[in-house]
């Protein structure tokens, strides 16, 4: 597998205050990698640091909307509606569809479940895994809800206080709830699951 995102010893913060310290992680094409942790762990700071302005400004000319509408058929009847009138779930689908029109090699997704009904999240998360596999996209999913994220991820990293304290295969981490809970509470727990 080809690495589409590789972060090596990343340090980032705000106003001279370190938030992320020596974070290293890799996302390969065709896989979903979950970045887990409690509020304030440094997940979003890490994600924002990894995303460049150039990637956010890359436009795909006049893209064909059909592939995005096929992935998110609920958007088809809403094409004439103003974005501000869409529900939270519809806005998340629109955001993912818009990102996919640029045919990215890697997709950075921050808190997909935030503010959404669990039934909507249960429909959206499997789409991320489908996208990774079918389009050979690497997906880095930042999420607080560990079990939901691990249900679609191939691998996962857990952050605490700006550092990676645990990493492993998603199936292993799902089966070891005790290890996940310990990673939220202690500084170092041994690195790999």
């Amino acid at each position: 597998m080809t690495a589409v995102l590789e972060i090596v010893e990343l340090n980032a913060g705000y106003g001279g205050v370190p938030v992320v310290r020596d974070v290293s992680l890799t996302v390969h094409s065709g896989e979903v990698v979950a970045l887990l942790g409690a509020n304030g762990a440094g997940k979003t700071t890490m994600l924002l640091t990894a995303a460049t302005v150039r990637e956010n400004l890359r436009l795909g000319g006049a893209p064909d909307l059909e592939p995005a509408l096929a992935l998110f058929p609920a958007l088809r009847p809403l094409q004439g509606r103003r974005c501000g009138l869409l529900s939270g779930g519809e806005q998340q689908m629109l955001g993912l569809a818009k990102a996919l029109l640029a045919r990215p090699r890697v997709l950075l997704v921050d808190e997909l479940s935030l503010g959404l009904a669990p039934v909507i999240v249960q429909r959206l998360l499997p789409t991320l895994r489908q996208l990774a596999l079918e389009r050979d996209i690497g997906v880095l999913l930042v999420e607080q809800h560990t079990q939901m994220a691990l249900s679609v991820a191939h691998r996962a990293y857990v952050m605490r206080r700006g550092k990676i304290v645990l990493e492993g295969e998603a199936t292993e981490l799902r089966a070891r709830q005790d290890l996940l809970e310990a990673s939220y509470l202690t500084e170092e727990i041994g690195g790999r699951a």
Side-chain angles (χ1 to χ4, degrees):
M1 286 195 286
T2 304
V4 291
L5 178 66
E6 189 167 17
I7 297 169
V8 179
E9 297 178 2
L10 175 70
N11 291 285
Y14 303 99
V17 177
V19 176
V20 174
R21 296 179 292 281
D22 297 322
V23 169
S24 297
L25 62 82
T26 304
V27 179
H28 295 100
S29 60
E31 77 170 346
V32 176
V33 174
L35 181 60
L36 309 171
N39 276 340
K43 303 178 307 293
T44 298
T45 299
M46 197 287 313
L47 193 71
L48 290 172
T49 305
T52 67
V53 172
R54 184 168 38 106
E55 292 298 319
N56 283 300
L57 293 177
R58 187 175 292 163
L59 300 174
D64 178 14
L65 299 180
E66 195 50 44
L69 292 172
L71 254 171
F72 302 105
L75 293 177
R76 194 174 299 280
L78 304 174
Q79 291 181 73
R81 188 175 294 176
R82 287 184 170 179
C83 295
L85 299 177
L86 298 177
S87 71
E90 291 164 346
Q91 288 180 13
Q92 287 284 31
M93 283 186 267
L94 179 60
L96 285 172
K98 182 179 170 186
L100 292 171
L101 290 175
R103 295 186 175 104
R105 290 181 359 136
V106 64
L107 189 60
L108 308 177
V109 182
D110 191 15
E111 300 288 355
L112 183 68
S113 66
L114 190 64
L116 298 181
V119 67
I120 301 297
V121 177
Q122 289 171 353
R123 274 191 260 157
L124 286 176
L125 280 176
T127 303
L128 289 179
R129 187 170 178 119
Q130 177 186 350
L131 286 170
L133 295 171
E134 291 178 2
R135 296 188 181 195
D136 206 28
I137 297 172
V139 178
L140 180 59
L141 171 63
V142 170
E143 186 59 66
Q144 286 184 57
H145 299 288
T146 58
Q147 293 304 313
M148 282 193 286
L150 291 173
S151 71
V152 298
H154 295 92
R155 295 182 305 109
Y157 296 87
V158 179
M159 286 187 81
R160 183 170 189 277
R161 294 186 181 170
K163 293 184 175 185
I164 301 291
V165 295
L166 179 66
E167 65 179 278
E169 298 297 318
T171 53
E172 294 172 20
L173 294 174
R174 250 188 106 145
R176 294 289 314 274
Q177 187 64 29
D178 60 323
L179 200 55
L180 278 174
E181 288 174 11
S183 71
Y184 276 65
L185 301 173
T186 60
E187 276 309 308
E188 299 286 337
I189 61 164
R192 277 204 55 86

